[in-house]
Amino acid sequence: MVDRWYNIAADLPAVLAPPKDPDEGESRIGLLTRILPSALIDQEFSAERWISIPEEVRDAYRRVGRPTPLLRAEGLERALGTGVRIYYKYEGVLPVGSHKLNTALAQAYYAKADGAVEVATETGAGQWGMAVSLAAALFGLRAVVFMTRSSYNSKRQRLTFMRTYGATVYPSPSEVTEAGRRHYRPDHPGSLGIAISEAVEYVLSGEKRRYLPGSVLEFVLMHQTVIGLEAVRQLPEEPDAAVACVGGGSNFAGFTYPMIGMKLRGEGFDKTRFVAVEAEAAPKLTKGEYKYDFPDAVGVLPMIKMYTLGHDYVPPPVHAAGLRYHGAAPSLSLLRKLGIVEPLSYPQEEVMKAAVLFARTEGIVPAPESAHAIRAVLDLAKKLPRGSVIAFNLSGHGLLDSDAYEKFL
Ligand SMILES: Cc1ncc(COP(=O)(O)O)c(C=O)c1O
C-alpha cells in the first residue's frame, strides 16, 4: 500500500502555467477557494514532489480493495501471436467499477476535515457520480449529484446504485437551482456544463457544503497516482510502452506520471514511450489548440492552459461517455507539447472491436473508455519488435455498459 501521492509539478522540465481568471467578470479563482475543500487548493498549487496520504484515506483505500492487481494478458498475447508481453493494471475491481474512487475518497475525506456535512457534484454517464456517492457514504457525508437528464433517463443502473449508496440524484437541468431553472424543460437532455453550474450553485447556496470535481484539476491527477505507484512496484519488467485512455487526463496521469517522473529524474523507464489514447469524438490532444480555456462549458471555473477543442465544443454522443471532454489537464497538455507524451485517437467502431477481443481472450468486459487503451495496445503489439513489453491501465469494467455492447453486437 503506497503512503504518498506523486506530484509531477516538481519534475516537469518547464513551468506549469497556473490557472487564471478571465479578463472580465468575477474572480473564478476566488470562487474555487469557496467551493473546494481547503486542502485541495493547497494541493492544486503545490510544488512538493510527494504529498502524504492521510491515514484515514489509506484505510479507505484498503477497505475498497487497494492495491489493485497487475495482470498479464496471456490470452490476448496468444490471440495476437506477436511475441510481445502485455501487462495491465485493473481498476475495475474497485466497488464502483472504475478508478474514479481513488480521488473521490480523498476529496470526501478533505471535505469532512473542513467540517462539511454534504458534497455535491455533476455526472454524465454516472461513473463519477457513483464514486462520489460511495466516498460520501464511507465518510459519513450526504451526497447530491446532478446527472445530465439524458443519462438520468438512459443509464438507470448507475442512477440506482448512486441511490443505493444513499445519494440524492437530480436530473439536470433540475428545478432545484437557478441555473437549472433557466434551462429547465422536461425533455431537455442536459449537459455537463449545466450540471456543473448547478452543483456549484448548490454548494454556494448552503452551509457546510463542498464541490468535488472528477478530473482535469491537478490534485485529481495527483490522487490517481496511487495506480502508477503500485504498478511501478508490481511490474516485473519496465515496459517499452505505457498506455492509458484520456478523458480529462486523471486516468492517464494516474498510471503513467510516476513512471514519467522516474524517467525525468533519470531513475528508470528511460526506454518507455507514453501513449495517451483519446476518442476520435473528442480529439483535443491530436487536433486541439494549446491555449487558456475554461474547463467547464459555462465558464464558472478558472481558465487553465491546455489542449482544447473550445469549451463550447459538444462531442458527438459515443459509448465512451467518460472521454467526451473538450480539454486535457494542464500538466498532460504540457507533456504532450514537450513531446514526452504521444497522443493517439481511435473511432468507436474499432475500439468496440478491441473491447470484444479483450473480453473473449481475457474474460473481463472492459469499459468502453478503457477499451481505447486496448485498441492502441493492438496497434503497438503489431509495430513493436518481438520481445517488447507493453503495460496499460484498464480503468474500469463495462458491466454497466451493456447498452453499448448490445448496440455494437
Ligand atoms: C472507466 C473510465 N475510464 C477513463 C475515464 C476518463 O477519465 P479521466 O481521463 O478524466 O480520468 C473515465 C471517465 O469517466 C471512465 O469512466
Side-chain angles (χ1 to χ4, degrees):
M1 198 45 209
V2 298
D3 57 8
R4 50 194 193 169
W5 293 300
Y6 170 61
N7 179 11
I8 201 162
D11 293 318
L12 286 171
V15 177
L16 191 58
K20 71 166 196 181
D21 279 323
D23 296 336
E24 285 164 20
E26 65 171 316
S27 166
R28 271 55 163 199
I29 293 177
L31 174 80
L32 211 56
T33 59
R34 283 161 63 207
I35 59 176
L36 289 178
S38 52
L40 299 179
I41 298 285
D42 296 341
Q43 290 181 6
E44 183 67 16
F45 293 98
S46 172
E48 294 293 315
R49 181 173 293 130
W50 302 106
I51 310 271
S52 288
I53 305 177
E55 193 50 45
E56 293 87 340
V57 178
R58 294 182 66 209
D59 270 352
Y61 282 166
R62 254 185 235 111
R63 285 169 65 196
V64 298
R66 298 218 75 85
T68 58
L70 182 105
L71 303 163
R72 174 131 175 226
E74 289 174 40
L76 183 63
E77 287 174 14
R78 269 196 300 278
L80 297 177
T82 56
V84 164
R85 292 188 292 287
I86 303 170
Y87 299 92
Y88 62 100
K89 180 81 169 152
Y90 185 38
E91 293 295 296
V93 295
L94 298 176
V96 298
S98 83
H99 69 297
K100 295 278 174 187
L101 193 56
N102 298 323
T103 184
L105 289 170
Q107 293 189 44
Y109 164 79
Y110 288 120
K112 180 93 176 177
D114 263 4
V117 296
E118 193 168 51
V119 293
T121 197
E122 72 289 339
T123 197
Q127 288 102 332
W128 176 237
M130 266 182 76
V132 169
S133 303
L134 175 56
L138 294 181
F139 281 101
L141 296 160
R142 291 197 299 269
V144 172
V145 181
F146 292 90
M147 185 175 194
T148 53
R149 187 176 292 273
S150 56
S151 297
Y152 186 92
N153 291 331
S154 62
K155 302 275 179 188
R156 300 299 290 186
Q157 290 177 310
R158 288 210 181 88
L159 165 62
T160 301
F161 293 132
M162 281 187 253
R163 295 171 62 197
T164 303
Y165 289 137
T168 302
V169 187
Y170 296 111
S172 170
S174 75
E175 294 185 279
V176 177
T177 67
E178 190 49 48
R181 285 191 290 273
R182 223 176 294 139
H183 297 274
Y184 181 78
R185 281 193 328 258
D187 62 339
H188 193 303
S191 72
L192 272 179
I194 299 171
I196 291 176
S197 318
E198 289 208 83
V200 168
E201 182 187 326
Y202 184 84
V203 167
L204 288 171
S205 62
E207 294 289 304
K208 300 187 176 180
R209 296 176 180 169
R210 291 293 181 280
Y211 170 70
L212 309 189
S215 191
V216 192
L217 292 173
E218 291 295 323
F219 65 80
V220 179
L221 275 60
M222 196 189 308
H223 298 157
Q224 292 294 356
T225 59
V226 287
I227 305 171
L229 291 167
E230 287 173 9
V232 167
R233 292 180 185 184
Q234 292 166 315
L235 277 167
E237 48 193 339
E238 287 190 2
D240 298 277
V243 184
C245 68
V246 177
S250 75
N251 167 61
F252 178 83
F255 183 58
T256 63
Y257 278 13
M259 301 177 209
I260 294 177
M262 288 176 72
K263 183 171 187 168
L264 292 171
R265 299 194 301 276
E267 293 172 6
F269 295 90
D270 45 309
K271 64 167 188 183
T272 308
R273 290 164 59 184
F274 298 97
V275 181
V277 193
E278 54 190 13
E280 204 179 69
K284 56 267 179 176
L285 289 172
T286 48
K287 299 210 176 114
E289 219 184 305
Y290 188 50
K291 63 176 187 187
Y292 269 102
D293 193 10
F294 290 108
D296 61 295
V298 181
V300 290
L301 298 175
M303 301 179 87
I304 53 179
K305 193 158 183 197
M306 61 177 173
Y307 277 94
T308 174
L309 298 160
H311 65 278
D312 51 2
Y313 176 77
V314 181
V318 285
H319 300 318
L323 304 192
R324 292 182 64 233
Y325 184 68
H326 66 274
S331 57
L332 172 55
S333 293
L334 180 60
L335 288 165
R336 184 255 182 274
K337 178 89 184 152
L338 295 171
I340 296 168
V341 165
E342 301 169 39
L344 284 178
S345 80
Y346 290 99
Q348 169 157 289
E349 186 77 3
E350 286 185 30
V351 168
M352 291 306 290
K353 267 189 214 156
V356 168
L357 175 66
F358 192 78
R360 290 177 187 175
T361 53
E362 291 300 314
I364 297 170
V365 177
E369 290 85 358
S370 320
H372 284 72
I374 299 171
R375 179 63 190 82
V377 168
L378 302 188
D379 259 355
L380 286 162
K382 261 194 229 139
K383 286 181 192 148
L384 292 172
R386 287 184 85 77
S388 299
V389 176
I390 303 173
F392 75 96
N393 194 36
L394 191 63
S395 49
H397 69 62
L399 295 178
L400 299 179
D401 298 288
S402 57
D403 54 332
Y405 281 90
E406 204 176 307
K407 285 195 185 109
F408 174 73
L409 293 171

